[in-house]
Amino acid sequence: MLRGIGGDHHGRSLSLEKPRRIGSSARADLRIDDHGIAPEHAVLELVDGQPLLHQTAAEVLVNGTPARQAVLQAGDQLVFGGRHRFVLEGPPPSAVATDPLPEPPAEAPPAPLRHWSQRVPWLLVVALLLAAGMWALLVFGAR
């Protein structure tokens, strides 16, 4: 999935299930009308479950580096024409590996009972003592 994160296509998503043409042409799957965008700027497609970028006419930045062709990974950022920014989200559904989840432990041992002095929040006790001391100063110290 290619998702727009900057420019006129911010928030728009485009599936990569079939080859996608990006450019200013009316035939483009992702049409970007801007100076610096060629009629057929680039092509994105899945080859053996791996997303590939084929640059056909103009500069494409992949993670800030100009690229003519690139094998893309989830999280890669693509910039077309300097201000149209997209990110590749997640692997395609067919390439998701399913690892079995580890089994949870049979039963966790019960937590040991703590002494009352360990259960009292000492910061609260100190704050109460300080408040009582300041109250005593206000009441008895003004004489």
Side-chain angles (χ1 to χ4, degrees):
M1 180 75 61
L2 190 66
R3 184 174 54 89
I5 58 174
D8 296 338
H9 295 282
H10 180 79
R12 181 176 176 195
S13 295
L14 184 68
S15 165
L16 298 178
E17 293 173 351
K18 63 179 187 175
R20 299 296 186 162
R21 299 191 185 292
I22 300 167
S24 61
S25 166
R27 296 184 338 222
D29 296 306
L30 178 61
R31 187 170 183 203
I32 303 173
D33 288 322
D34 198 2
H35 69 282
I37 302 294
E40 193 165 305
H41 200 86
V43 176
L44 288 171
E45 65 179 331
L46 288 177
V47 176
D48 296 328
Q50 187 69 43
L52 297 177
L53 166 75
H54 300 284
Q55 182 181 0
T56 57
E59 181 177 275
V60 176
L61 298 177
V62 177
N63 297 325
T65 305
R68 297 213 58 73
Q69 289 189 349
V71 176
L72 302 173
Q73 304 294 325
D76 283 350
Q77 289 193 15
L78 306 172
V79 179
F80 303 99
R83 68 178 202 99
H84 301 280
R85 186 176 300 269
F86 295 84
V87 66
L88 186 69
E89 289 185 337
S94 62
V96 175
T98 55
D99 293 334
L101 295 175
E103 292 187 23
E107 189 173 316
L113 293 176
R114 299 184 311 178
H115 189 265
W116 72 270
S117 63
Q118 292 176 326
R119 291 185 298 222
V120 174
W122 287 105
L123 187 57
L124 180 60
V125 172
V126 170
L128 288 173
L129 289 174
L130 283 171
M134 292 185 70
W135 176 80
L137 282 174
L138 285 172
V139 171
F140 300 111
R143 294 182 187 209

